[in-house]
């Protein structure tokens, strides 16, 4: 008897678009954007080049921006941690997801944050900065602060920048130290930064004395 051949299922518009974005993200994760062509994306997705153009008529630039938005959405979710339990363990769980994303996207993550790509535009820069701002908003929420002052905002944004820099160095160092050690060190850095700011800022001092004091 001839084995039954699975029935061909035509993908919906959203399913096909998701398939193409997944293929693009996989390529951008391991190669800098300028080294990825539409032919590469078509081959990775198992489709024709004209089909890629059908979904992304703007070509590689439109596909790259769409892939970047998709990655940004995933990064947004990294810091979307339930407000249950102590703050620092919550932050550690968020960093676990963040570092998993960094490790999975490797070269693409480096190209994204270091800039210099020929496909970088004001729109792509805004997408990346949007991730940073979203991460900061999540942290303010976990701190229970609705209206952070300038020193607290600066401290949080500086820490986010330090996390990005540490992630890039971590990739350059072949992901050493182990991710869990890097995570714990970054959590310690967060608390240390708040403690330093607390000496000069009443709002941050209240945070350190209150919710954070119980975790030291």
């Amino acid at each position: 008897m001839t084995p039954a051949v699975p029935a061909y299922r035509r993908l919906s518009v959203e399913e096909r678009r998701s398939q193409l974005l997944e293929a693009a993200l996989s390529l951008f994760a391991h190669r800098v954007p300028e080294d990825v062509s539409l032919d590469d994306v078509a081959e990775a997705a198992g489709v024709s080049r004209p089909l890629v153009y059908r979904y992304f008529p703007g070509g590689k630039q439109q596909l790259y921006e769409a892939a970047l938005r998709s990655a940004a959405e995933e990064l947004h979710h990294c810091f979307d941690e339930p407000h249950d339990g102590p703050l620092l363990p919550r932050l550690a769980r968020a960093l676990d997801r963040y570092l998993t994303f960094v490790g999975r996207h490797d070269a693409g993550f480096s190209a994204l944050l270091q800039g210099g790509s020929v496909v970088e535009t004001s729109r792509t820069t805004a997408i990346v900065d949007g991730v940073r701002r979203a991460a900061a908003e999540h942290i303010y929420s976990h701190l229970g602060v609705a209206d952070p002052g300038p020193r607290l905002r600066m401290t949080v944004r500086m820490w986010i920048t330090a996390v990005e820099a540490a992630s890039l160095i971590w990739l350059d160092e072949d992901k050493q130290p182990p991710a869990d050690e890097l995570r714990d060190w970054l959590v310690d850095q967060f608390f240390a930064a708040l403690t330093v700011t607390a000496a000069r800022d009443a709002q941050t001092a209240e945070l350190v004395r209150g919710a954070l004091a119980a975790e030291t």
Side-chain angles (χ1 to χ4, degrees), residues 21-204:
L21 284 176
E22 184 177 346
L25 276 173
S26 177
L27 291 170
F28 290 136
H30 300 97
R31 291 153 60 182
V32 294
E34 50 265 45
D35 288 344
V36 177
S37 69
L38 287 183
D39 286 331
D40 293 330
V41 175
E43 181 179 357
V47 302
S48 65
R49 179 188 174 97
L51 184 64
V52 179
Y53 266 112
R54 176 182 171 187
Y55 283 85
F56 298 96
K60 177 176 172 178
Q61 182 65 43
Q62 183 184 7
L63 179 58
Y64 176 68
E65 290 180 11
L68 188 56
R69 288 191 187 93
S70 178
E73 289 176 7
E74 188 174 345
L75 278 171
H76 284 173
H77 293 311
C78 288
F79 287 90
D80 191 11
E81 175 70 24
H83 288 57
D84 298 325
L87 171 66
L88 297 185
R90 280 184 257 156
L91 185 60
R93 289 191 293 271
L95 284 171
D96 278 335
R97 290 192 292 272
Y98 180 87
L99 291 173
T100 296
F101 178 92
V102 172
R104 194 168 69 244
H105 290 80
D106 210 323
F109 179 85
S110 298
L112 170 64
L113 288 188
Q114 290 176 328
S117 168
V118 296
V119 294
E120 183 179 16
T121 66
S122 59
R123 291 190 299 275
T124 60
T125 301
I127 293 169
V128 175
D129 193 54
V131 173
R132 296 170 179 144
R133 293 183 183 279
E137 291 301 324
H138 278 302
I139 292 172
Y140 301 144
S141 177
H142 282 289
L143 289 171
V145 177
D147 186 22
R151 287 185 176 84
L152 180 56
R153 287 198 305 271
M154 188 177 295
T155 300
V156 170
R157 290 298 297 269
M158 286 173 62
W159 179 77
I160 291 171
T161 300
V163 170
E164 292 179 355
S167 299
L168 291 172
I169 296 170
W170 183 61
L171 292 176
D172 285 341
E173 295 291 337
D174 295 323
K175 299 177 184 176
Q176 291 296 322
D180 57 343
E181 292 183 20
L182 177 60
R183 173 205 64 206
D184 291 343
W185 180 71
L186 290 171
V187 171
D188 290 345
Q189 289 284 333
F190 179 72
F191 185 76
L194 287 179
T195 301
V196 170
T197 302
R200 297 174 177 269
D201 180 58
Q203 182 183 47
T204 309

